[in-house]
Amino acid sequence: MKHSLFALLILGLISFGCTSTNKASTPDTTAQPNSGAAASSPSTNSDQDFVTRAAQGNSAEIELGKIVAAKSKNPSVKQFAQMMVKDHTTALNELQELAQSKNLNFNDDLPDAAKALQAKLSSDTGKQLDKDYMDSMVEDHQKDVQEFTDKSETAKDPDVKQWAGKTLPTLQKHLEKAQQIDAKLNKGKAVGSSPSGDGQ
C-alpha cells in the first residue's frame, strides 16, 4: 500500500516538471518497466487515480456480495448480491487487462471503508444484514454512477473513457435495483408488515 502511495506521489511530482500530453500507452523511457512510474504523463494521472478507485471499488463489491449472498435469507437481497459478484468480477477483469495494456498501476486492495463494512456484514444477521448491505449499495452506486458518468466524458485516455462508458449502464442498473430493494426493506421496517421486504 505504501509503495502505491509512493508511486502516486512520484507521478504527481513528475507532472509538475513535464508538459507532455502523451497517452498512457506511450512508455516513459526514463522509467524502468516495473518501477510504478510508467504512467507519468500528466494527462494520465487522473486516469490512473480513476483506475485505482475503480479496481478497489469492484473488488469491494465482489467481496461484500459474497458475504451477503451466503448469509442473507431474503431472496431479493441474495439475488442482488450474486449479481454484484458476477458483474463486478467481469468489470474487474476487464479493467485489469486495460491497466496492463496502458502500463497503469493496478491495485485492487479493499479500501478501509469496505473493510469496515465487510467486518460489520460478517457479524450482521437477518434484517440488519440486509439493510446495512442495501443501504451501502445505494450509496456506493450513486457515487459510482456520478464518477463513471464524468470519466466517460472527461478521461484523457480514449480506452479508459470507452471502458467507463461501457460500464456505466451496468452501474445504473445496479443503482436502480438497489434503490428498489432498499425502499422495500425500509418500508417493511416502517410499517412492520413485511418482515423481509420480499416481492416483486
Side-chain angles (χ1 to χ4, degrees):
M1 189 68 182
K2 289 182 179 178
H3 175 74
S4 297
L5 291 174
F6 179 74
L8 288 175
L9 284 173
I10 292 298
L11 295 182
L13 291 173
I14 292 174
S15 69
F16 283 106
C18 179
T19 57
S20 170
T21 56
N22 290 338
K23 298 286 189 293
S25 57
T26 302
D28 180 0
T29 56
T30 64
Q32 296 181 10
N34 297 319
S35 67
S40 60
S41 170
S43 66
T44 63
N45 284 349
S46 63
D47 291 351
Q48 171 67 78
D49 291 343
F50 170 67
V51 167
T52 297
R53 288 194 303 272
Q56 294 178 338
N58 277 296
S59 183
E61 301 290 11
I62 293 166
E63 295 307 314
L64 298 176
K66 287 178 180 178
I67 292 173
V68 176
K71 292 182 64 177
S72 179
K73 305 300 183 186
N74 183 316
S76 296
V77 174
K78 183 183 288 287
Q79 184 179 38
F80 180 87
Q82 291 169 338
M83 179 173 65
M84 291 300 97
V85 174
K86 178 179 179 291
D87 289 353
H88 285 281
T89 296
T90 298
L92 186 62
N93 289 338
E94 291 175 350
L95 183 58
Q96 185 172 19
E97 291 180 7
L98 174 61
Q100 289 173 346
S101 73
K102 298 295 179 179
N103 290 324
L104 294 171
N105 293 327
F106 186 80
N107 176 5
D108 61 352
D109 292 341
L110 289 185
D112 289 341
K115 289 179 182 177
L117 181 57
Q118 185 180 40
K120 184 164 178 36
L121 294 177
S122 294
S123 61
D124 275 350
T125 57
K127 299 175 190 176
Q128 192 62 49
L129 170 74
D130 297 336
K131 188 176 188 314
D132 286 342
Y133 178 61
M134 294 312 307
D135 283 350
S136 72
M137 288 299 98
V138 170
E139 183 178 346
D140 288 350
H141 283 85
Q142 285 174 335
K143 294 176 182 177
D144 291 345
V145 166
Q146 181 60 49
E147 182 167 21
F148 275 70
T149 297
D150 178 62
K151 280 299 173 181
S152 69
E153 300 169 353
T154 65
K156 301 296 189 298
D157 186 281
D159 291 327
V160 173
K161 180 184 290 188
Q162 181 182 33
W163 180 79
K166 172 187 174 184
T167 307
L168 179 58
T170 299
L171 295 173
Q172 291 170 325
K173 181 184 72 174
H174 291 173
L175 174 58
E176 181 179 354
K177 189 66 175 176
Q179 289 172 326
Q180 292 172 355
I181 297 172
D182 195 48
K184 289 179 182 178
L185 292 175
N186 289 323
K187 180 180 179 182
K189 181 178 180 181
V191 301
S193 59
S194 176
S196 65
D198 294 346
Q200 299 298 320

